[in-house]
Amino acid sequence: MDRRRFLAGSAALTAAGVAGPFAGVARAGRSGELRRAGGYGPLTPVPDERDGVVRLHLPEGFRYRSFNPAGEAFTDGTVTPGKHDGMAAFRGPRGTAILIRNHEVNGPVGAFGDPAKAYDPAAGGGTATLQVTGDGRVLRSGPSLTGTQMNCSGGPMPWGAWVSCEETVNGPDVGNDHTGQDNGRLQRRHGYIFEVPLDGRAGGPIRSAGRFSHESAAFDPSSGAIYLTEDNFAFASGFYRYLPPQNPLRAGRILDGGRLQMLAVRGEPGKDLSLGQPAGATYQTAWVDIEDPDPEFTGTPGYEIAMQAVGSQGRAGGAALFSRLEGAVHHHGTIYFVSTQGGATAPGDTPPDGFGKGRGQVWAYETWSGLLRLVYESPGSVVLDLPDNVTTSPRGTLVLCEDGGEGNYLRGLTRHGGIFDFALLAPVAGDSGAEFAGSTFGPGGRTLYVNVQSSRGASFAIWGPWQRGGF
């Protein structure tokens, strides 16, 4: 057992709350006791059942198949783009799963699929919809949302839809982003969320939900609110909620024209939650209205100005500051969301670039009480290194996709306070930045589907003896 795996299995955790899910995390954080991780054992190289190449390291007994890599034809004959990212699985016919998957493609590179059906024919991101078996065999596949940009993550909706989020504010009215690609070639404004239904093509942007660097979306059925995360890499980010004019469960879709709000800590305006937190950190919250969620830009402002235009409104009203909010998921009345670079810099670690100097936090917002609590703060990169997308397993364990520097893992954070390694990504030739993304359990919990985000990305189906460990 190497040092990284030992520390991952035994590190003390920082958390909040004393009862209910993740109470064990809180106890470990306060007392420093060592806890069993709840994992599946050592990771070893496992060949891909598609072609025999080792792409993942997994525990004994687990198998996988990769499918629909970038450059391969969809079953409709069009070409699969790269940068596979956020994803959700829905129940399909005869034991299959329907996957809706994001492609985080930037720049005016042209839409994949049919340009006539694209939101912006110049933009190369969007979503694909696939029907797959539990062992990763593709039965049908094709584009479902095209002509968008930087579709990072999103969230599944219980009426049978995926919300895809654009992590950008590019457009012909905004200066070029950090890549230097010509925004003047774009035909539409970007930075919105889009609803992608299972039974048809996606509609247009939901503008009242804001124009900012959207990352994820999580739906609360009791209130009809859609909780949204923001990833402003170099600047403070916010945690939002969109209140549609009618509960989507009644409307059957998300209606535009609602209200956008940003979370604040009650009694502490402008609270900086990107910093290291004490064990047991909890906060009462309030919500700040965003008066202009879809600002009109004149004079082609610089990209860095445009990307902060919505969040600055909330912060002027006292909204809290976070570092790089990424994955979010709803589970039994709680929204769990990830701050990729939140927390304190651990001894021996180098602070990452951008806003936030830690190695990651996991937050929980109770929709029924308004209480915000810290579930977990990484004690160092050897334990958890820059968590990104998040989902829950059938047992309620959080599944964290890592976006770190030296080896990216899929990790589990159990309800009893254990953190464990489940999968290690083998190096991807020519792409040192390849990472896990879009983890989602299929119907019945028998298969974990996950993506590797890379210029030559692919999707994976993983199956095995789940009952043996924490998932």
Side-chain angles (χ1 to χ4, degrees):
M1 179 176 288
D2 62 25
R3 177 174 178 266
R4 183 183 182 107
R5 187 173 296 118
F6 173 79
L7 289 170
S10 62
L13 309 180
T14 301
V18 293
F22 297 94
V25 183
R27 288 194 295 270
R30 278 195 292 275
S31 67
E33 63 183 293
L34 304 183
R35 304 190 63 83
R36 295 183 62 183
Y40 292 85
L43 309 185
T44 58
V46 178
D48 190 336
E49 298 207 355
R50 175 166 67 94
D51 57 10
V53 174
V54 172
R55 295 184 171 92
L56 301 180
H57 295 214
L58 295 170
E60 182 181 0
F62 283 89
R63 300 157 61 190
Y64 70 95
R65 174 180 282 105
S66 66
F67 59 93
N68 197 216
E72 179 183 87
F74 291 121
T75 59
D76 74 349
T78 58
V79 177
T80 304
K83 298 290 185 180
H84 302 46
D85 209 303
M87 183 168 66
F90 301 84
R91 188 175 300 278
R94 297 179 297 281
T96 63
I98 305 297
L99 304 178
I100 304 182
R101 182 187 66 210
N102 279 357
H103 291 272
E104 193 184 11
V105 179
N106 195 17
V109 297
F112 66 96
D114 183 354
K117 297 179 180 178
Y119 167 71
D120 182 344
T127 68
T129 298
L130 307 90
Q131 181 185 3
V132 299
T133 63
D135 62 351
R137 299 179 191 274
V138 179
L139 304 179
R140 62 179 179 88
S141 59
S144 46
L145 168 68
T146 61
T148 53
Q149 270 202 342
M150 294 290 287
N151 298 74
C152 196
S153 192
M157 302 293 120
W159 56 90
W162 164 254
V163 168
S164 184
C165 298
E166 290 186 305
E167 190 192 6
T168 183
V169 293
N170 279 333
D173 60 337
V174 173
N176 299 341
D177 66 15
H178 67 283
T179 67
Q181 299 182 77
D182 185 6
N183 274 350
R185 294 171 55 195
L186 296 172
Q187 300 180 28
R188 304 288 294 274
R189 294 159 54 180
H190 297 271
Y192 302 109
I193 68 171
F194 294 76
E195 184 174 342
V196 186
L198 283 173
D199 57 358
R201 291 193 60 85
I206 302 168
R207 298 182 184 276
S208 296
R211 186 186 184 190
F212 57 87
S213 294
H214 287 275
E215 181 77 26
S216 291
F219 177 69
D220 174 39
S222 63
S223 65
I226 297 153
Y227 290 85
L228 303 165
T229 59
E230 176 184 38
D231 182 6
N232 267 352
F233 178 82
F235 304 98
S237 298
F239 184 57
Y240 299 79
R241 70 180 181 187
Y242 174 61
L243 305 174
Q246 184 179 1
N247 190 318
L249 286 175
R250 293 193 296 272
R253 62 189 180 94
I254 303 170
L255 300 176
D256 210 340
R259 186 158 45 121
L260 183 67
Q261 299 178 318
M262 198 170 175
L263 181 136
V265 173
R266 192 178 297 277
E268 298 185 69
K271 178 71 173 180
D272 189 350
L273 297 176
S274 73
L275 304 175
Q277 299 292 311
T282 60
Y283 300 98
Q284 296 292 336
T285 62
W287 290 92
V288 177
D289 285 335
I290 303 296
E291 297 299 330
D292 186 11
D294 186 20
E296 296 277 352
F297 298 128
T298 59
T300 316
Y303 184 83
E304 293 184 349
I305 294 173
M307 73 187 300
Q308 299 180 77
V310 170
S312 292
Q313 297 176 54
R315 287 185 287 275
L321 282 62
F322 291 92
S323 166
R324 300 194 58 203
L325 296 187
E326 300 211 54
V329 63
H330 175 272
H331 187 69
H332 295 314
T334 297
I335 308 294
Y336 296 97
F337 63 99
V338 170
S339 170
T340 294
Q341 294 180 196
T345 305
D349 272 350
T350 301
D353 294 334
F355 189 90
K357 302 305 178 186
R359 291 290 164 172
Q361 297 166 324
V362 180
W363 292 91
Y365 175 77
E366 295 175 350
T367 62
W368 48 276
S369 70
L371 185 72
L372 178 70
R373 55 192 175 93
L374 185 72
V375 168
Y376 179 79
E377 183 172 299
S378 174
S381 59
V382 293
V383 178
L384 180 64
D385 195 12
L386 308 183
D388 192 331
N389 288 176
V390 62
T391 191
T392 54
S393 77
R395 296 186 188 180
T397 298
L398 295 181
V399 184
L400 300 171
C401 294
E402 200 175 61
D403 181 16
E406 294 185 23
N408 286 316
Y409 286 79
L410 280 178
R411 300 186 187 274
L413 179 61
T414 73
R415 295 160 60 93
H416 302 294
I419 187 168
F420 61 88
D421 301 341
F422 174 72
L424 170 65
L425 177 62
V428 176
D431 192 348
S432 60
E435 62 186 80
F436 284 116
S439 60
T440 179
F441 275 92
R446 294 184 294 274
T447 301
L448 176 64
Y449 298 97
V450 68
N451 297 321
V452 168
Q453 195 218 78
S454 170
S455 57
R456 297 289 298 173
S459 296
F460 291 74
I462 304 172
W463 64 95
W466 298 112
Q467 72 283 356
R468 207 176 65 203
F471 288 157

